[in-house]
Amino acid sequence: MSAWKVGIAPTAPFHPFVPRVIRAFREAFPLVSLTLEEGLSNEVRERFSHDQMDVAFVRTSTIHADNLVVSPLLEEPMVVALPSLHAMAQGKRDTALPLKRLAGDSFILFGPPGTGIYDETVAACRAAGFSPHIGQQAPRITSTLGLVAAGLGIALVPESVQSMSMDGVVYRRLKGAAQPKAVLGLVSRRGDPSAVVRQFLNLVKRAAKVHPSD
């Protein structure tokens, strides 16, 4: 039995597409043993450079490594995670907020600069007309939401993360001309000769084409 490693961004498993295609691949190729390893895009790049990863689901459309390529799969809206006592967290659950109304808040940024959600949050705030005040940086999505629940700031997260219910956290949709999007991409080595990698890439790309859009 062959074994190989699939990287997975911390927020990727919340999107139903990711576990679905991994299950589909395991059913189609039962003799291939998959090991899933969580990692942000900078960690994924490092593991690829040491031959410790074969493919990876990431939350970015670009990765700074000449030997790697990102195949964009899907996009989903980002929402804001607010402390439950935040003024903007009151009212109906389907209330949509303009991002600019949150310009005075501290933002909890997930991951270091150069990773997908971090960069998309900064870009979204600038598109809304302000530079975010960075309260803290968190290494993972659970710690990000924990800081939000503690009232230490707000965070932009992919819409699918709303499936994680945490006491003290309220999610709200965003509205406005520039809607921030969370990208889901698949990283592989450029020209990888592995037949298993090719099969995985083909299956995932085909599934993405027929996945319902938001």
mmCIF file of all heavy atoms in Angstrom, residues 15-35:
data_model
loop_
_atom_site.group_PDB
_atom_site.id
_atom_site.type_symbol
_atom_site.label_atom_id
_atom_site.label_comp_id
_atom_site.label_asym_id
_atom_site.label_seq_id
_atom_site.Cartn_x
_atom_site.Cartn_y
_atom_site.Cartn_z
ATOM 1 N N HIS A 15 -15.481 23.568 4.806
ATOM 2 C CA HIS A 15 -16.201 23.594 3.536
ATOM 3 C C HIS A 15 -16.550 22.152 3.170
ATOM 4 O O HIS A 15 -15.657 21.307 3.072
ATOM 5 C CB HIS A 15 -15.329 24.222 2.445
ATOM 6 C CG HIS A 15 -16.129 24.669 1.261
ATOM 7 N ND1 HIS A 15 -16.867 23.792 0.493
ATOM 8 C CD2 HIS A 15 -16.311 25.896 0.710
ATOM 9 C CE1 HIS A 15 -17.474 24.454 -0.472
ATOM 10 N NE2 HIS A 15 -17.158 25.727 -0.363
ATOM 11 N N PRO A 16 -17.824 21.843 2.962
ATOM 12 C CA PRO A 16 -18.210 20.447 2.717
ATOM 13 C C PRO A 16 -17.542 19.820 1.509
ATOM 14 O O PRO A 16 -17.421 18.600 1.417
ATOM 15 C CB PRO A 16 -19.738 20.522 2.544
ATOM 16 C CG PRO A 16 -20.035 21.956 2.254
ATOM 17 C CD PRO A 16 -18.990 22.754 2.952
ATOM 18 N N PHE A 17 -17.070 20.641 0.573
ATOM 19 C CA PHE A 17 -16.414 20.121 -0.620
ATOM 20 C C PHE A 17 -15.169 19.307 -0.278
ATOM 21 O O PHE A 17 -14.903 18.269 -0.901
ATOM 22 C CB PHE A 17 -16.030 21.291 -1.539
ATOM 23 C CG PHE A 17 -15.240 20.890 -2.750
ATOM 24 C CD1 PHE A 17 -15.864 20.395 -3.879
ATOM 25 C CD2 PHE A 17 -13.849 21.011 -2.768
ATOM 26 C CE1 PHE A 17 -15.135 20.020 -4.997
ATOM 27 C CE2 PHE A 17 -13.115 20.649 -3.874
ATOM 28 C CZ PHE A 17 -13.763 20.148 -4.994
ATOM 29 N N VAL A 18 -14.405 19.762 0.708
ATOM 30 C CA VAL A 18 -13.101 19.141 0.994
ATOM 31 C C VAL A 18 -13.247 17.724 1.548
ATOM 32 O O VAL A 18 -12.683 16.775 0.975
ATOM 33 C CB VAL A 18 -12.263 20.043 1.923
ATOM 34 C CG1 VAL A 18 -10.968 19.334 2.322
ATOM 35 C CG2 VAL A 18 -11.943 21.365 1.226
ATOM 36 N N PRO A 19 -13.971 17.503 2.638
ATOM 37 C CA PRO A 19 -14.124 16.113 3.089
ATOM 38 C C PRO A 19 -14.820 15.236 2.057
ATOM 39 O O PRO A 19 -14.542 14.041 1.954
ATOM 40 C CB PRO A 19 -14.940 16.225 4.385
ATOM 41 C CG PRO A 19 -15.537 17.587 4.365
ATOM 42 C CD PRO A 19 -14.624 18.454 3.561
ATOM 43 N N ARG A 20 -15.711 15.838 1.256
ATOM 44 C CA ARG A 20 -16.432 15.060 0.246
ATOM 45 C C ARG A 20 -15.479 14.500 -0.809
ATOM 46 O O ARG A 20 -15.549 13.320 -1.169
ATOM 47 C CB ARG A 20 -17.499 15.936 -0.406
ATOM 48 C CG ARG A 20 -18.437 15.200 -1.349
ATOM 49 C CD ARG A 20 -19.484 16.153 -1.889
ATOM 50 N NE ARG A 20 -20.247 16.756 -0.815
ATOM 51 C CZ ARG A 20 -20.731 18.003 -0.847
ATOM 52 N NH1 ARG A 20 -20.499 18.780 -1.875
ATOM 53 N NH2 ARG A 20 -21.431 18.458 0.177
ATOM 54 N N VAL A 21 -14.553 15.339 -1.320
ATOM 55 C CA VAL A 21 -13.667 14.852 -2.379
ATOM 56 C C VAL A 21 -12.606 13.908 -1.813
ATOM 57 O O VAL A 21 -12.157 12.990 -2.513
ATOM 58 C CB VAL A 21 -12.996 16.005 -3.158
ATOM 59 C CG1 VAL A 21 -14.023 16.763 -3.957
ATOM 60 C CG2 VAL A 21 -12.200 16.931 -2.251
ATOM 61 N N ILE A 22 -12.212 14.106 -0.563
ATOM 62 C CA ILE A 22 -11.261 13.173 0.043
ATOM 63 C C ILE A 22 -11.908 11.801 0.212
ATOM 64 O O ILE A 22 -11.296 10.763 -0.077
ATOM 65 C CB ILE A 22 -10.737 13.729 1.380
ATOM 66 C CG1 ILE A 22 -9.853 14.963 1.124
ATOM 67 C CG2 ILE A 22 -9.938 12.661 2.131
ATOM 68 C CD1 ILE A 22 -9.412 15.675 2.374
ATOM 69 N N ARG A 23 -13.167 11.780 0.640
ATOM 70 C CA ARG A 23 -13.884 10.502 0.745
ATOM 71 C C ARG A 23 -14.013 9.839 -0.623
ATOM 72 O O ARG A 23 -13.813 8.627 -0.759
ATOM 73 C CB ARG A 23 -15.283 10.718 1.340
ATOM 74 C CG ARG A 23 -15.318 10.959 2.830
ATOM 75 C CD ARG A 23 -16.720 10.755 3.391
ATOM 76 N NE ARG A 23 -17.715 11.568 2.698
ATOM 77 C CZ ARG A 23 -18.065 12.794 3.071
ATOM 78 N NH1 ARG A 23 -17.490 13.362 4.136
ATOM 79 N NH2 ARG A 23 -18.980 13.471 2.415
ATOM 80 N N ALA A 24 -14.343 10.643 -1.634
ATOM 81 C CA ALA A 24 -14.508 10.100 -2.988
ATOM 82 C C ALA A 24 -13.207 9.490 -3.498
ATOM 83 O O ALA A 24 -13.212 8.428 -4.133
ATOM 84 C CB ALA A 24 -14.989 11.190 -3.936
ATOM 85 N N PHE A 25 -12.089 10.143 -3.205
ATOM 86 C CA PHE A 25 -10.807 9.600 -3.663
ATOM 87 C C PHE A 25 -10.480 8.303 -2.934
ATOM 88 O O PHE A 25 -10.006 7.342 -3.542
ATOM 89 C CB PHE A 25 -9.692 10.628 -3.445
ATOM 90 C CG PHE A 25 -8.361 10.161 -3.964
ATOM 91 C CD1 PHE A 25 -8.047 10.274 -5.310
ATOM 92 C CD2 PHE A 25 -7.425 9.585 -3.117
ATOM 93 C CE1 PHE A 25 -6.826 9.822 -5.804
ATOM 94 C CE2 PHE A 25 -6.207 9.128 -3.589
ATOM 95 C CZ PHE A 25 -5.907 9.252 -4.947
ATOM 96 N N ARG A 26 -10.714 8.274 -1.640
ATOM 97 C CA ARG A 26 -10.423 7.053 -0.869
ATOM 98 C C ARG A 26 -11.272 5.880 -1.344
ATOM 99 O O ARG A 26 -10.818 4.743 -1.368
ATOM 100 C CB ARG A 26 -10.641 7.310 0.624
ATOM 101 C CG ARG A 26 -9.647 8.300 1.219
ATOM 102 C CD ARG A 26 -9.803 8.431 2.723
ATOM 103 N NE ARG A 26 -9.452 7.185 3.388
ATOM 104 C CZ ARG A 26 -10.272 6.480 4.158
ATOM 105 N NH1 ARG A 26 -11.510 6.897 4.358
ATOM 106 N NH2 ARG A 26 -9.874 5.375 4.736
ATOM 107 N N GLU A 27 -12.520 6.170 -1.716
ATOM 108 C CA GLU A 27 -13.387 5.104 -2.228
ATOM 109 C C GLU A 27 -12.918 4.621 -3.598
ATOM 110 O O GLU A 27 -12.983 3.428 -3.901
ATOM 111 C CB GLU A 27 -14.826 5.604 -2.303
ATOM 112 C CG GLU A 27 -15.465 5.824 -0.939
ATOM 113 C CD GLU A 27 -16.789 6.564 -1.024
ATOM 114 O OE1 GLU A 27 -17.227 6.859 -2.169
ATOM 115 O OE2 GLU A 27 -17.388 6.845 0.029
ATOM 116 N N ALA A 28 -12.437 5.555 -4.438
ATOM 117 C CA ALA A 28 -11.999 5.192 -5.786
ATOM 118 C C ALA A 28 -10.633 4.513 -5.782
ATOM 119 O O ALA A 28 -10.346 3.679 -6.650
ATOM 120 C CB ALA A 28 -11.966 6.438 -6.674
ATOM 121 N N PHE A 29 -9.783 4.864 -4.797
ATOM 122 C CA PHE A 29 -8.417 4.321 -4.738
ATOM 123 C C PHE A 29 -8.130 3.807 -3.322
ATOM 124 O O PHE A 29 -7.365 4.412 -2.573
ATOM 125 C CB PHE A 29 -7.398 5.391 -5.153
ATOM 126 C CG PHE A 29 -7.606 5.918 -6.543
ATOM 127 C CD1 PHE A 29 -8.373 7.056 -6.761
ATOM 128 C CD2 PHE A 29 -7.052 5.270 -7.639
ATOM 129 C CE1 PHE A 29 -8.579 7.541 -8.044
ATOM 130 C CE2 PHE A 29 -7.250 5.742 -8.916
ATOM 131 C CZ PHE A 29 -8.020 6.873 -9.129
ATOM 132 N N PRO A 30 -8.756 2.699 -2.956
ATOM 133 C CA PRO A 30 -8.640 2.209 -1.570
ATOM 134 C C PRO A 30 -7.233 1.759 -1.181
ATOM 135 O O PRO A 30 -6.948 1.638 0.017
ATOM 136 C CB PRO A 30 -9.629 1.043 -1.527
ATOM 137 C CG PRO A 30 -9.763 0.605 -2.956
ATOM 138 C CD PRO A 30 -9.637 1.845 -3.765
ATOM 139 N N LEU A 31 -6.367 1.505 -2.150
ATOM 140 C CA LEU A 31 -5.016 1.054 -1.828
ATOM 141 C C LEU A 31 -4.052 2.206 -1.573
ATOM 142 O O LEU A 31 -2.895 1.982 -1.229
ATOM 143 C CB LEU A 31 -4.465 0.166 -2.949
ATOM 144 C CG LEU A 31 -5.219 -1.144 -3.179
ATOM 145 C CD1 LEU A 31 -4.553 -1.959 -4.263
ATOM 146 C CD2 LEU A 31 -5.319 -1.951 -1.891
ATOM 147 N N VAL A 32 -4.525 3.428 -1.756
ATOM 148 C CA VAL A 32 -3.688 4.597 -1.468
ATOM 149 C C VAL A 32 -3.998 5.071 -0.056
ATOM 150 O O VAL A 32 -5.137 5.389 0.276
ATOM 151 C CB VAL A 32 -3.943 5.742 -2.471
ATOM 152 C CG1 VAL A 32 -3.096 6.966 -2.106
ATOM 153 C CG2 VAL A 32 -3.635 5.284 -3.893
ATOM 154 N N SER A 33 -2.983 5.115 0.790
ATOM 155 C CA SER A 33 -3.147 5.551 2.175
ATOM 156 C C SER A 33 -2.863 7.046 2.270
ATOM 157 O O SER A 33 -1.768 7.508 1.938
ATOM 158 C CB SER A 33 -2.187 4.780 3.079
ATOM 159 O OG SER A 33 -2.262 5.255 4.406
ATOM 160 N N LEU A 34 -3.854 7.814 2.699
ATOM 161 C CA LEU A 34 -3.711 9.264 2.826
ATOM 162 C C LEU A 34 -3.439 9.652 4.266
ATOM 163 O O LEU A 34 -4.082 9.153 5.186
ATOM 164 C CB LEU A 34 -4.986 9.984 2.367
ATOM 165 C CG LEU A 34 -5.504 9.752 0.957
ATOM 166 C CD1 LEU A 34 -6.706 10.646 0.703
ATOM 167 C CD2 LEU A 34 -4.420 10.042 -0.064
ATOM 168 N N THR A 35 -2.499 10.568 4.440
ATOM 169 C CA THR A 35 -2.267 11.197 5.737
ATOM 170 C C THR A 35 -2.563 12.679 5.583
ATOM 171 O O THR A 35 -1.995 13.351 4.724
ATOM 172 C CB THR A 35 -0.808 11.016 6.199
ATOM 173 O OG1 THR A 35 -0.529 9.629 6.326
ATOM 174 C CG2 THR A 35 -0.568 11.700 7.537
#
